[in-house]
Short mmCIF file of all heavy atoms in Angstrom, two decimals:
data_model
loop_
_atom_site.label_atom_id
_atom_site.label_comp_id
_atom_site.label_asym_id
_atom_site.label_seq_id
_atom_site.Cartn_x
_atom_site.Cartn_y
_atom_site.Cartn_z
N MET A 241 -63.44 108.38 161.14
CA MET A 241 -64.36 107.70 162.05
C MET A 241 -64.68 106.28 161.55
O MET A 241 -65.14 106.08 160.41
CB MET A 241 -65.60 108.54 162.16
CG MET A 241 -66.63 107.84 163.07
SD MET A 241 -68.11 108.90 163.26
CE MET A 241 -69.14 108.35 161.89
N ASN A 242 -64.35 105.26 162.31
CA ASN A 242 -64.62 103.89 161.94
C ASN A 242 -66.02 103.48 162.38
O ASN A 242 -66.49 103.77 163.44
CB ASN A 242 -63.61 102.94 162.59
CG ASN A 242 -62.34 102.91 161.84
OD1 ASN A 242 -62.14 103.61 160.87
ND2 ASN A 242 -61.43 102.08 162.30
N THR A 243 -66.71 102.83 161.44
CA THR A 243 -67.99 102.22 161.76
C THR A 243 -67.80 100.78 162.13
O THR A 243 -66.86 100.14 161.60
CB THR A 243 -68.91 102.30 160.47
OG1 THR A 243 -68.93 103.60 159.96
CG2 THR A 243 -70.31 101.77 160.71
N GLN A 244 -68.58 100.25 163.04
CA GLN A 244 -68.43 98.86 163.47
C GLN A 244 -69.67 98.10 163.02
O GLN A 244 -70.81 98.48 163.47
CB GLN A 244 -68.23 98.75 164.95
CG GLN A 244 -67.89 97.34 165.36
CD GLN A 244 -67.38 97.30 166.87
OE1 GLN A 244 -67.43 98.32 167.54
NE2 GLN A 244 -67.04 96.11 167.28
N LEU A 245 -69.47 97.10 162.24
CA LEU A 245 -70.64 96.26 161.73
C LEU A 245 -70.22 94.82 161.73
O LEU A 245 -69.02 94.47 161.76
CB LEU A 245 -70.96 96.68 160.30
CG LEU A 245 -71.36 98.15 159.98
CD1 LEU A 245 -71.44 98.34 158.50
CD2 LEU A 245 -72.71 98.39 160.57
N VAL A 246 -71.26 93.92 161.70
CA VAL A 246 -70.93 92.53 161.60
C VAL A 246 -70.62 92.30 160.18
O VAL A 246 -70.87 93.08 159.24
CB VAL A 246 -72.13 91.66 162.05
CG1 VAL A 246 -72.38 91.76 163.54
CG2 VAL A 246 -73.37 91.95 161.28
N THR A 247 -70.05 91.10 159.90
CA THR A 247 -69.54 90.82 158.50
C THR A 247 -70.47 91.05 157.38
O THR A 247 -70.24 91.74 156.49
CB THR A 247 -69.04 89.34 158.44
OG1 THR A 247 -67.99 89.12 159.45
CG2 THR A 247 -68.55 88.95 157.09
N LYS A 248 -71.72 90.45 157.52
CA LYS A 248 -72.74 90.56 156.46
C LYS A 248 -73.09 91.99 156.19
O LYS A 248 -73.14 92.45 155.08
CB LYS A 248 -74.00 89.71 156.81
CG LYS A 248 -75.03 89.77 155.75
CD LYS A 248 -76.23 88.84 156.04
CE LYS A 248 -77.29 88.89 154.96
NZ LYS A 248 -78.35 87.94 155.23
N GLN A 249 -73.33 92.77 157.28
CA GLN A 249 -73.74 94.17 157.17
C GLN A 249 -72.65 94.99 156.53
O GLN A 249 -72.86 95.85 155.64
CB GLN A 249 -74.08 94.77 158.52
CG GLN A 249 -75.33 94.21 159.14
CD GLN A 249 -75.51 94.74 160.53
OE1 GLN A 249 -74.55 95.16 161.23
NE2 GLN A 249 -76.76 94.76 161.03
N ALA A 250 -71.34 94.70 156.87
CA ALA A 250 -70.25 95.43 156.35
C ALA A 250 -70.07 95.18 154.81
O ALA A 250 -69.91 96.16 154.03
CB ALA A 250 -69.00 95.09 157.07
N VAL A 251 -70.24 93.95 154.40
CA VAL A 251 -70.10 93.58 152.96
C VAL A 251 -71.21 94.20 152.25
O VAL A 251 -71.05 94.80 151.14
CB VAL A 251 -70.09 92.05 152.80
CG1 VAL A 251 -70.19 91.68 151.31
CG2 VAL A 251 -68.72 91.48 153.43
N LEU A 252 -72.42 94.12 152.72
CA LEU A 252 -73.57 94.73 152.08
C LEU A 252 -73.42 96.25 151.90
O LEU A 252 -73.71 96.79 150.90
CB LEU A 252 -74.87 94.45 152.76
CG LEU A 252 -75.49 93.08 152.59
CD1 LEU A 252 -76.66 92.83 153.49
CD2 LEU A 252 -75.90 92.85 151.12
N LYS A 253 -72.91 96.91 152.98
CA LYS A 253 -72.72 98.34 152.88
C LYS A 253 -71.77 98.72 151.80
O LYS A 253 -72.01 99.66 151.06
CB LYS A 253 -72.30 98.92 154.26
CG LYS A 253 -72.02 100.41 154.27
CD LYS A 253 -71.74 100.90 155.62
CE LYS A 253 -71.63 102.41 155.50
NZ LYS A 253 -72.01 103.09 156.70
N VAL A 254 -70.64 98.06 151.65
CA VAL A 254 -69.57 98.30 150.73
C VAL A 254 -70.20 98.07 149.29
O VAL A 254 -69.94 98.86 148.41
CB VAL A 254 -68.35 97.48 150.97
CG1 VAL A 254 -67.36 97.57 149.81
CG2 VAL A 254 -67.69 97.98 152.21
N LEU A 255 -70.99 96.99 149.15
CA LEU A 255 -71.52 96.67 147.79
C LEU A 255 -72.59 97.65 147.41
O LEU A 255 -72.74 98.00 146.28
CB LEU A 255 -71.99 95.24 147.74
CG LEU A 255 -70.86 94.13 147.82
CD1 LEU A 255 -71.51 92.76 147.98
CD2 LEU A 255 -70.03 94.20 146.60
N THR A 256 -73.51 97.98 148.30
CA THR A 256 -74.67 98.78 148.00
C THR A 256 -74.33 100.31 147.85
O THR A 256 -75.05 100.98 147.18
CB THR A 256 -75.80 98.59 148.99
OG1 THR A 256 -75.30 98.97 150.30
CG2 THR A 256 -76.31 97.26 148.93
N THR A 257 -73.29 100.74 148.47
CA THR A 257 -72.90 102.16 148.35
C THR A 257 -71.94 102.38 147.21
O THR A 257 -71.44 103.49 147.07
CB THR A 257 -72.28 102.66 149.67
OG1 THR A 257 -71.18 101.91 149.96
CG2 THR A 257 -73.25 102.67 150.78
N LYS A 258 -71.81 101.39 146.33
CA LYS A 258 -70.94 101.46 145.17
C LYS A 258 -69.50 101.80 145.47
O LYS A 258 -68.86 102.45 144.65
CB LYS A 258 -71.51 102.40 144.14
CG LYS A 258 -72.99 102.10 143.73
CD LYS A 258 -72.99 100.78 143.03
CE LYS A 258 -74.45 100.52 142.56
NZ LYS A 258 -74.70 99.18 142.19
N VAL A 259 -68.99 101.42 146.60
CA VAL A 259 -67.62 101.58 146.95
C VAL A 259 -66.76 100.73 146.07
O VAL A 259 -65.73 101.12 145.50
CB VAL A 259 -67.28 101.31 148.44
CG1 VAL A 259 -65.81 101.46 148.68
CG2 VAL A 259 -68.10 102.30 149.28
N VAL A 260 -67.24 99.51 145.74
CA VAL A 260 -66.63 98.62 144.80
C VAL A 260 -67.62 98.30 143.74
O VAL A 260 -68.82 98.40 143.90
CB VAL A 260 -66.17 97.28 145.42
CG1 VAL A 260 -64.94 97.61 146.33
CG2 VAL A 260 -67.22 96.57 146.17
N ARG A 261 -67.19 97.84 142.56
CA ARG A 261 -68.00 97.61 141.39
C ARG A 261 -68.76 96.31 141.45
O ARG A 261 -69.85 96.20 140.90
CB ARG A 261 -67.22 97.75 140.15
CG ARG A 261 -66.60 99.11 139.95
CD ARG A 261 -65.62 99.17 138.78
NE ARG A 261 -66.33 98.85 137.50
CZ ARG A 261 -66.58 99.78 136.65
NH1 ARG A 261 -66.35 101.04 136.85
NH2 ARG A 261 -67.21 99.43 135.50
N SER A 262 -68.21 95.31 142.10
CA SER A 262 -68.85 93.96 142.12
C SER A 262 -68.31 93.12 143.27
O SER A 262 -67.33 93.57 143.98
CB SER A 262 -68.49 93.24 140.78
OG SER A 262 -67.12 92.98 140.74
N LYS A 263 -68.94 92.01 143.48
CA LYS A 263 -68.52 91.06 144.56
C LYS A 263 -67.07 90.61 144.20
O LYS A 263 -66.26 90.41 145.03
CB LYS A 263 -69.46 89.91 144.63
CG LYS A 263 -70.76 90.28 145.29
CD LYS A 263 -71.59 89.04 145.63
CE LYS A 263 -72.73 88.93 144.69
NZ LYS A 263 -73.61 87.76 144.90
N TYR A 264 -66.84 90.32 142.89
CA TYR A 264 -65.53 89.90 142.45
C TYR A 264 -64.42 90.90 142.80
O TYR A 264 -63.35 90.59 143.26
CB TYR A 264 -65.57 89.61 140.91
CG TYR A 264 -64.26 89.09 140.44
CD1 TYR A 264 -63.86 87.68 140.64
CD2 TYR A 264 -63.40 89.98 139.79
CE1 TYR A 264 -62.64 87.29 140.14
CE2 TYR A 264 -62.15 89.49 139.28
CZ TYR A 264 -61.77 88.15 139.49
OH TYR A 264 -60.61 87.75 138.96
N ALA A 265 -64.78 92.22 142.49
CA ALA A 265 -63.78 93.25 142.80
C ALA A 265 -63.51 93.36 144.26
O ALA A 265 -62.37 93.61 144.66
CB ALA A 265 -64.29 94.61 142.29
N LEU A 266 -64.51 93.19 145.07
CA LEU A 266 -64.33 93.18 146.51
C LEU A 266 -63.44 92.08 146.96
O LEU A 266 -62.50 92.26 147.80
CB LEU A 266 -65.69 93.10 147.24
CG LEU A 266 -65.64 93.04 148.82
CD1 LEU A 266 -64.96 94.31 149.36
CD2 LEU A 266 -67.02 92.94 149.39
N ALA A 267 -63.63 90.84 146.42
CA ALA A 267 -62.85 89.72 146.75
C ALA A 267 -61.40 89.98 146.32
O ALA A 267 -60.47 89.73 147.14
CB ALA A 267 -63.35 88.49 146.11
N GLN A 268 -61.15 90.55 145.19
CA GLN A 268 -59.81 90.89 144.69
C GLN A 268 -59.12 91.86 145.67
O GLN A 268 -57.96 91.72 146.02
CB GLN A 268 -59.89 91.45 143.33
CG GLN A 268 -60.26 90.42 142.26
CD GLN A 268 -59.29 89.31 142.06
OE1 GLN A 268 -59.22 88.34 142.76
NE2 GLN A 268 -58.37 89.48 141.12
N ALA A 269 -59.86 92.85 146.09
CA ALA A 269 -59.37 93.95 146.95
C ALA A 269 -58.91 93.34 148.34
O ALA A 269 -57.93 93.73 148.91
CB ALA A 269 -60.31 95.07 147.13
N LEU A 270 -59.67 92.32 148.77
CA LEU A 270 -59.41 91.75 150.06
C LEU A 270 -58.43 90.63 149.96
O LEU A 270 -57.98 90.07 151.04
CB LEU A 270 -60.75 91.25 150.67
CG LEU A 270 -61.71 92.30 151.07
CD1 LEU A 270 -63.01 91.68 151.63
CD2 LEU A 270 -61.15 93.27 152.14
N GLY A 271 -58.12 90.07 148.82
CA GLY A 271 -57.19 89.05 148.63
C GLY A 271 -57.78 87.68 149.02
O GLY A 271 -57.03 86.81 149.54
N ILE A 272 -59.09 87.55 148.73
CA ILE A 272 -59.78 86.26 149.12
C ILE A 272 -60.43 85.70 147.82
O ILE A 272 -60.56 86.36 146.84
CB ILE A 272 -60.81 86.47 150.20
CG1 ILE A 272 -61.90 87.40 149.79
CG2 ILE A 272 -60.13 86.85 151.49
CD1 ILE A 272 -63.03 87.60 150.73
N ARG A 273 -60.94 84.47 147.87
CA ARG A 273 -61.60 83.85 146.71
C ARG A 273 -63.00 84.51 146.64
O ARG A 273 -63.65 84.66 147.70
CB ARG A 273 -61.68 82.34 146.92
CG ARG A 273 -60.34 81.69 146.91
CD ARG A 273 -60.41 80.23 146.80
NE ARG A 273 -59.14 79.61 146.88
CZ ARG A 273 -58.34 79.27 145.87
NH1 ARG A 273 -58.82 79.61 144.63
NH2 ARG A 273 -57.17 78.73 146.01
N PRO A 274 -63.53 84.64 145.45
CA PRO A 274 -64.84 85.31 145.26
C PRO A 274 -65.96 84.57 145.97
O PRO A 274 -66.96 85.19 146.44
CB PRO A 274 -65.04 85.31 143.77
CG PRO A 274 -63.65 85.36 143.23
CD PRO A 274 -62.81 84.51 144.21
N ILE A 275 -65.91 83.27 146.12
CA ILE A 275 -66.97 82.47 146.82
C ILE A 275 -67.14 82.90 148.24
O ILE A 275 -68.23 82.85 148.81
CB ILE A 275 -66.73 80.95 146.65
CG1 ILE A 275 -67.90 80.19 147.14
CG2 ILE A 275 -65.50 80.59 147.51
CD1 ILE A 275 -69.13 80.27 146.25
N MET A 276 -66.07 83.44 148.81
CA MET A 276 -66.15 83.91 150.23
C MET A 276 -67.15 85.09 150.38
O MET A 276 -67.86 85.17 151.41
CB MET A 276 -64.79 84.31 150.78
CG MET A 276 -63.90 83.05 151.02
SD MET A 276 -64.67 81.85 152.10
CE MET A 276 -64.83 82.79 153.61
N ILE A 277 -67.24 85.88 149.43
CA ILE A 277 -68.18 87.02 149.48
C ILE A 277 -69.64 86.50 149.51
O ILE A 277 -70.46 86.90 150.39
CB ILE A 277 -68.04 88.02 148.28
CG1 ILE A 277 -66.66 88.58 148.20
CG2 ILE A 277 -69.06 89.15 148.30
CD1 ILE A 277 -66.16 89.31 149.41
N ASN A 278 -69.93 85.45 148.74
CA ASN A 278 -71.29 84.80 148.83
C ASN A 278 -71.46 84.11 150.14
O ASN A 278 -72.52 84.14 150.76
CB ASN A 278 -71.45 83.86 147.68
CG ASN A 278 -71.75 84.52 146.41
OD1 ASN A 278 -72.31 85.57 146.34
ND2 ASN A 278 -71.46 83.89 145.33
N ASN A 279 -70.39 83.49 150.66
CA ASN A 279 -70.52 82.91 151.96
C ASN A 279 -70.81 83.88 153.10
O ASN A 279 -71.60 83.59 154.01
CB ASN A 279 -69.26 82.11 152.31
CG ASN A 279 -69.09 80.83 151.46
OD1 ASN A 279 -70.01 80.41 150.76
ND2 ASN A 279 -67.86 80.29 151.49
N TYR A 280 -70.14 85.08 153.04
CA TYR A 280 -70.45 86.14 154.04
C TYR A 280 -71.87 86.58 153.93
O TYR A 280 -72.51 86.77 155.00
CB TYR A 280 -69.53 87.33 153.79
CG TYR A 280 -68.10 87.13 153.98
CD1 TYR A 280 -67.13 87.80 153.20
CD2 TYR A 280 -67.56 86.22 154.89
CE1 TYR A 280 -65.83 87.64 153.36
CE2 TYR A 280 -66.19 86.01 155.01
CZ TYR A 280 -65.34 86.75 154.28
OH TYR A 280 -63.95 86.60 154.38
N LEU A 281 -72.45 86.63 152.76
CA LEU A 281 -73.82 87.14 152.60
C LEU A 281 -74.87 86.11 152.78
O LEU A 281 -75.95 86.49 153.25
CB LEU A 281 -73.98 87.69 151.15
CG LEU A 281 -73.08 88.99 150.80
CD1 LEU A 281 -73.21 89.31 149.35
CD2 LEU A 281 -73.45 90.09 151.72
N THR A 282 -74.68 84.87 152.51
CA THR A 282 -75.71 83.91 152.51
C THR A 282 -75.56 82.79 153.58
O THR A 282 -76.60 82.26 154.11
CB THR A 282 -75.88 83.14 151.19
OG1 THR A 282 -74.68 82.47 150.90
CG2 THR A 282 -76.23 84.07 150.06
N LYS A 283 -74.40 82.47 153.97
CA LYS A 283 -74.16 81.37 154.97
C LYS A 283 -73.82 81.81 156.37
O LYS A 283 -73.59 81.01 157.23
CB LYS A 283 -73.06 80.46 154.44
CG LYS A 283 -73.47 79.68 153.21
CD LYS A 283 -72.45 78.68 152.81
CE LYS A 283 -72.96 78.00 151.60
NZ LYS A 283 -72.13 76.84 151.23
N GLY A 284 -73.63 83.11 156.53
CA GLY A 284 -73.34 83.64 157.88
C GLY A 284 -71.89 83.40 158.28
O GLY A 284 -71.57 83.48 159.45
N THR A 285 -70.98 83.17 157.27
CA THR A 285 -69.59 83.05 157.56
C THR A 285 -69.02 84.35 158.07
O THR A 285 -69.42 85.41 157.54
CB THR A 285 -68.82 82.63 156.26
OG1 THR A 285 -69.44 81.46 155.73
CG2 THR A 285 -67.38 82.39 156.47
N ARG A 286 -68.20 84.26 159.08
CA ARG A 286 -67.53 85.44 159.61
C ARG A 286 -66.17 85.72 158.99
O ARG A 286 -65.52 84.73 158.59
CB ARG A 286 -67.40 85.35 161.09
CG ARG A 286 -68.77 85.21 161.82
CD ARG A 286 -68.64 85.07 163.29
NE ARG A 286 -67.91 83.83 163.61
CZ ARG A 286 -67.32 83.60 164.83
NH1 ARG A 286 -67.39 84.53 165.81
NH2 ARG A 286 -66.70 82.47 165.08
N MET A 287 -65.73 86.91 158.95
CA MET A 287 -64.37 87.21 158.46
C MET A 287 -63.33 86.76 159.44
O MET A 287 -63.47 86.90 160.65
CB MET A 287 -64.19 88.70 158.17
CG MET A 287 -64.65 89.16 156.87
SD MET A 287 -64.22 90.84 156.58
CE MET A 287 -65.36 91.33 155.34
N GLY A 288 -62.17 86.27 158.87
CA GLY A 288 -61.05 86.02 159.70
C GLY A 288 -60.35 87.33 160.10
O GLY A 288 -60.56 88.36 159.55
N THR A 289 -59.38 87.21 160.99
CA THR A 289 -58.68 88.40 161.46
C THR A 289 -57.89 89.18 160.38
O THR A 289 -57.98 90.34 160.41
CB THR A 289 -57.72 87.97 162.66
OG1 THR A 289 -56.85 86.95 162.17
CG2 THR A 289 -58.43 87.52 163.85
N ALA A 290 -57.23 88.42 159.56
CA ALA A 290 -56.42 89.10 158.47
C ALA A 290 -57.32 89.84 157.48
O ALA A 290 -57.04 90.96 157.08
CB ALA A 290 -55.53 88.04 157.77
N THR A 291 -58.40 89.18 157.08
CA THR A 291 -59.33 89.74 156.12
C THR A 291 -59.98 90.95 156.74
O THR A 291 -60.20 92.03 156.11
CB THR A 291 -60.37 88.80 155.65
OG1 THR A 291 -59.61 87.54 155.20
CG2 THR A 291 -61.26 89.32 154.59
N ALA A 292 -60.41 90.82 158.03
CA ALA A 292 -61.07 91.93 158.69
C ALA A 292 -60.12 93.16 158.83
O ALA A 292 -60.53 94.28 158.70
CB ALA A 292 -61.56 91.45 160.12
N ALA A 293 -58.87 92.89 159.07
CA ALA A 293 -57.92 94.04 159.18
C ALA A 293 -57.77 94.72 157.82
O ALA A 293 -57.70 95.90 157.76
CB ALA A 293 -56.53 93.44 159.64
N LYS A 294 -57.72 93.89 156.76
CA LYS A 294 -57.63 94.50 155.40
C LYS A 294 -58.87 95.27 155.11
O LYS A 294 -58.84 96.42 154.52
CB LYS A 294 -57.39 93.38 154.33
CG LYS A 294 -57.28 93.84 152.99
CD LYS A 294 -55.88 94.45 152.80
CE LYS A 294 -55.68 94.66 151.30
NZ LYS A 294 -54.34 95.14 150.95
N PHE A 295 -60.00 94.79 155.48
CA PHE A 295 -61.32 95.43 155.24
C PHE A 295 -61.38 96.75 155.93
O PHE A 295 -61.81 97.77 155.40
CB PHE A 295 -62.49 94.47 155.78
CG PHE A 295 -63.82 94.90 155.21
CD1 PHE A 295 -64.30 94.28 154.04
CD2 PHE A 295 -64.61 95.80 155.84
CE1 PHE A 295 -65.57 94.63 153.55
CE2 PHE A 295 -65.86 96.13 155.40
CZ PHE A 295 -66.31 95.52 154.29
N GLU A 296 -60.94 96.80 157.19
CA GLU A 296 -60.88 98.04 157.97
C GLU A 296 -59.94 99.04 157.33
O GLU A 296 -60.27 100.22 157.26
CB GLU A 296 -60.49 97.79 159.42
CG GLU A 296 -60.45 98.99 160.25
CD GLU A 296 -60.22 98.78 161.75
OE1 GLU A 296 -59.93 97.52 162.09
OE2 GLU A 296 -60.28 99.66 162.51
N GLU A 297 -58.79 98.58 156.86
CA GLU A 297 -57.80 99.46 156.27
C GLU A 297 -58.40 100.08 154.95
O GLU A 297 -58.17 101.31 154.77
CB GLU A 297 -56.52 98.68 155.91
CG GLU A 297 -55.47 99.40 155.23
CD GLU A 297 -54.34 98.47 154.78
OE1 GLU A 297 -54.03 97.56 155.62
OE2 GLU A 297 -53.83 98.62 153.67
N LEU A 298 -59.07 99.27 154.18
CA LEU A 298 -59.57 99.81 152.89
C LEU A 298 -60.83 100.60 153.07
O LEU A 298 -61.02 101.63 152.29
CB LEU A 298 -59.84 98.60 151.96
CG LEU A 298 -58.64 97.80 151.50
CD1 LEU A 298 -59.07 96.56 150.67
CD2 LEU A 298 -57.74 98.69 150.63
N TYR A 299 -61.73 100.20 153.90
CA TYR A 299 -63.09 100.78 153.92
C TYR A 299 -63.49 101.53 155.24
O TYR A 299 -64.59 102.02 155.32
CB TYR A 299 -64.12 99.76 153.53
CG TYR A 299 -63.83 99.05 152.24
CD1 TYR A 299 -63.47 97.69 152.26
CD2 TYR A 299 -63.80 99.70 151.02
CE1 TYR A 299 -63.11 97.07 151.09
CE2 TYR A 299 -63.44 99.06 149.87
CZ TYR A 299 -63.11 97.80 149.89
OH TYR A 299 -62.80 97.12 148.71
N SER A 300 -62.56 101.57 156.13
CA SER A 300 -62.78 102.22 157.44
C SER A 300 -63.99 101.70 158.16
O SER A 300 -64.86 102.43 158.76
CB SER A 300 -62.86 103.70 157.30
OG SER A 300 -61.69 104.23 156.85
N ILE A 301 -64.23 100.37 158.05
CA ILE A 301 -65.33 99.63 158.75
C ILE A 301 -64.72 98.54 159.55
O ILE A 301 -64.03 97.65 159.01
CB ILE A 301 -66.41 99.09 157.72
CG1 ILE A 301 -66.95 100.18 156.93
CG2 ILE A 301 -67.44 98.31 158.48
CD1 ILE A 301 -67.87 99.69 155.82
N THR A 302 -64.96 98.60 160.86
CA THR A 302 -64.44 97.54 161.73
C THR A 302 -65.46 96.35 161.76
O THR A 302 -66.64 96.59 161.93
CB THR A 302 -64.24 98.14 163.18
OG1 THR A 302 -63.39 99.25 163.13
CG2 THR A 302 -63.67 97.06 164.15
N ILE A 303 -64.92 95.13 161.65
CA ILE A 303 -65.72 94.00 161.73
C ILE A 303 -65.91 93.59 163.16
O ILE A 303 -64.94 93.32 163.85
CB ILE A 303 -65.17 92.80 160.87
CG1 ILE A 303 -64.94 93.28 159.42
CG2 ILE A 303 -66.11 91.63 160.91
CD1 ILE A 303 -66.13 93.79 158.69
N ALA A 304 -67.18 93.46 163.65
CA ALA A 304 -67.43 93.25 165.05
C ALA A 304 -67.46 91.74 165.36
O ALA A 304 -67.25 91.36 166.55
CB ALA A 304 -68.86 93.80 165.42
N ASP A 305 -67.70 90.87 164.39
CA ASP A 305 -67.76 89.39 164.68
C ASP A 305 -66.61 88.62 164.04
O ASP A 305 -66.81 87.63 163.40
CB ASP A 305 -69.15 88.88 164.25
CG ASP A 305 -69.34 89.03 162.72
OD1 ASP A 305 -68.64 89.79 162.04
OD2 ASP A 305 -70.17 88.38 162.24
N VAL A 306 -65.37 89.12 164.26
CA VAL A 306 -64.22 88.46 163.65
C VAL A 306 -64.02 87.05 164.19
O VAL A 306 -64.21 86.80 165.42
CB VAL A 306 -62.94 89.30 163.94
CG1 VAL A 306 -61.75 88.62 163.45
CG2 VAL A 306 -63.12 90.69 163.31
N TYR A 307 -63.70 86.14 163.31
CA TYR A 307 -63.49 84.77 163.62
C TYR A 307 -61.92 84.61 163.81
O TYR A 307 -61.22 84.84 162.88
CB TYR A 307 -63.96 83.76 162.55
CG TYR A 307 -63.61 82.35 162.83
CD1 TYR A 307 -64.26 81.65 163.81
CD2 TYR A 307 -62.60 81.73 162.06
CE1 TYR A 307 -63.93 80.36 164.06
CE2 TYR A 307 -62.29 80.39 162.28
CZ TYR A 307 -62.93 79.70 163.28
OH TYR A 307 -62.63 78.41 163.55
N ASP A 308 -61.53 84.23 165.05
CA ASP A 308 -60.16 83.89 165.28
C ASP A 308 -59.96 82.48 165.64
O ASP A 308 -60.39 82.02 166.70
CB ASP A 308 -59.68 84.85 166.44
CG ASP A 308 -58.13 84.69 166.66
OD1 ASP A 308 -57.48 83.99 165.91
OD2 ASP A 308 -57.67 85.26 167.62
N ASN A 309 -59.43 81.70 164.70
CA ASN A 309 -59.36 80.29 164.91
C ASN A 309 -58.09 79.83 165.71
O ASN A 309 -57.85 78.67 165.90
CB ASN A 309 -59.36 79.52 163.60
CG ASN A 309 -58.11 79.87 162.69
OD1 ASN A 309 -57.49 80.83 162.92
ND2 ASN A 309 -58.02 79.14 161.55
N ARG A 310 -57.36 80.79 166.11
CA ARG A 310 -56.16 80.44 166.96
C ARG A 310 -56.65 80.19 168.43
O ARG A 310 -57.13 81.07 169.08
CB ARG A 310 -55.17 81.59 166.96
CG ARG A 310 -54.64 81.85 165.62
CD ARG A 310 -53.68 82.95 165.63
NE ARG A 310 -53.23 83.28 164.27
CZ ARG A 310 -52.60 84.33 163.90
NH1 ARG A 310 -52.45 85.31 164.76
NH2 ARG A 310 -52.29 84.56 162.71
N SER A 311 -56.42 79.00 168.86
CA SER A 311 -56.81 78.62 170.20
C SER A 311 -55.64 78.94 171.17
O SER A 311 -54.51 78.87 170.86
CB SER A 311 -57.19 77.18 170.29
OG SER A 311 -56.01 76.35 169.96
N VAL A 312 -56.02 79.32 172.41
CA VAL A 312 -55.09 79.66 173.42
C VAL A 312 -54.57 78.32 173.93
O VAL A 312 -55.32 77.38 174.31
CB VAL A 312 -55.75 80.46 174.53
CG1 VAL A 312 -54.79 80.69 175.65
CG2 VAL A 312 -56.33 81.73 173.99
N VAL A 313 -53.25 78.19 174.04
CA VAL A 313 -52.64 76.93 174.55
C VAL A 313 -52.24 77.08 176.02
O VAL A 313 -51.91 78.05 176.55
CB VAL A 313 -51.35 76.68 173.75
CG1 VAL A 313 -50.73 75.36 174.26
CG2 VAL A 313 -51.71 76.54 172.24
#
């Protein structure tokens, strides 16, 4: 069963339920720079499509506010 959350809520859930040991470990698992975890939590940055897909694969949480920067031509 997949849960659907916005980026900030999803990151907080994974960090607070001790699924991962640290923000750094979460960044490593997702293949992103560690500063992005802080951006998700404090600046309201949304996950991109590739990161959201990896997040769903690893933690069975669907990201509801995915940022897709590909414009329709």
Side-chain angles (χ1 to χ4, degrees):
M241 180 175 89
N242 278 3
T243 306
Q244 187 168 5
L245 299 170
V246 295
T247 299
K248 183 176 181 176
Q249 292 172 337
V251 170
L252 281 173
K253 180 172 181 149
V254 169
L255 290 172
T256 57
T257 56
K258 303 297 183 196
V259 176
V260 293
R261 298 173 62 103
S262 65
K263 291 188 251 182
Y264 181 79
L266 177 58
Q268 293 292 85
L270 295 174
I272 59 175
R273 296 190 185 270
I275 190 67
M276 287 306 297
I277 302 300
N278 282 333
N279 290 347
Y280 296 149
L281 295 174
T282 60
K283 294 188 177 187
T285 304
R286 299 181 296 163
M287 275 189 200
T289 52
T291 306
K294 182 76 171 183
F295 196 92
E296 182 175 3
E297 177 186 319
L298 293 173
Y299 308 112
S300 298
I301 298 174
T302 304
I303 305 300
D305 62 342
V306 174
Y307 175 72
D308 186 4
N309 62 348
R310 297 180 184 160
S311 60
V312 179
V313 179

